[in-house]
Amino acid sequence: MSSIVVLSGSPSATSRTAALTAHLAERLCAHGHEVRLVRVRDLPPAALLHADTTDPAIAEVTAAIEAAEGVVVASPVYKAAYSGLLKTLLDLLPQFALAGKTALPVLTGGSPAHVLALDYALRPVLSSLGAHHIVPGWFVLDRHIEVSDTGVVLHPDAEAPLLSVVDTFSRVLPVLAT
């Protein structure tokens, strides 16, 4: 069993990205991993904006990331990149916070034109944080995510490829954690 931190970079509690991130965390739990879902929007705003790494909530998240074998980083696309909210947390992490870890980038957006943000915005920051292995990520169109009272339903065009990359991420972790 590996430890995974799932970072939800959506500023909205009711967003499709937030729901999708929780859905992916549940799937990884079902694979037998110990998963901690971190909703960045729930962290203290003052600590994030003032780069207060001594804040207990920020220190706890940093420690969880340090202890994890894997990190899923999910965000909606804003202005051709991941959310500014997610950036505030990533900027607080130590330079090599992801050293020795496997990372899975996941982005959501309203147009296929945003798919490049995976490779030109999110993947480089994960690399600069020292991720040992960044598995192929996935971009999901907003319209392919349906949120209901019973959970998340993904459009068939999104479900199979997204779950494939999540399952690949899951399979790689125990190999790296041993």
Side-chain angles (χ1 to χ4, degrees), residues 16-17 108-114 139-147 153-158:
R16 291 182 185 104
T17 304
T108 64
S111 162
H114 297 299
F139 175 84
V140 183
L141 287 169
D142 288 341
R143 66 178 177 264
H144 287 172
I145 306 166
E146 182 182 323
V147 182
V153 177
L154 295 170
H155 187 279
D157 290 345

Side-chain angles (χ1 to χ4, degrees), residues 6 26 28-29 33 41 50 59 83 87 105 116 138 149 151 156 158 161 176:
V6 177
E26 289 171 11
L28 291 166
C29 280
H33 299 291
R41 71 174 174 279
H50 294 290
S83 72
K87 179 145 178 56
L116 292 176
W138 199 255
D149 293 339
L176 294 176

Side-chain angles (χ1 to χ4, degrees), residues 76-163:
V77 174
Y78 294 132
K79 308 291 185 201
Y82 51 92
S83 72
L85 176 68
L86 179 61
K87 179 145 178 56
T88 62
L89 176 63
L90 296 177
D91 285 350
L92 293 178
L93 296 176
Q95 177 63 42
F96 297 107
L98 301 182
K101 299 178 191 336
T102 299
L104 169 61
V106 176
L107 292 176
T108 64
S111 162
H114 297 299
V115 72
L116 292 176
L118 262 175
D119 290 328
Y120 292 100
L122 190 51
R123 183 175 293 276
V125 77
L126 299 177
S127 180
S128 76
L129 287 168
H132 171 73
H133 181 56
I134 304 170
V135 299
W138 199 255
F139 175 84
V140 183
L141 287 169
D142 288 341
R143 66 178 177 264
H144 287 172
I145 306 166
E146 182 182 323
V147 182
S148 70
D149 293 339
T150 59
V152 172
V153 177
L154 295 170
H155 187 279
D157 290 345
E159 184 174 38
L162 173 62
L163 296 183

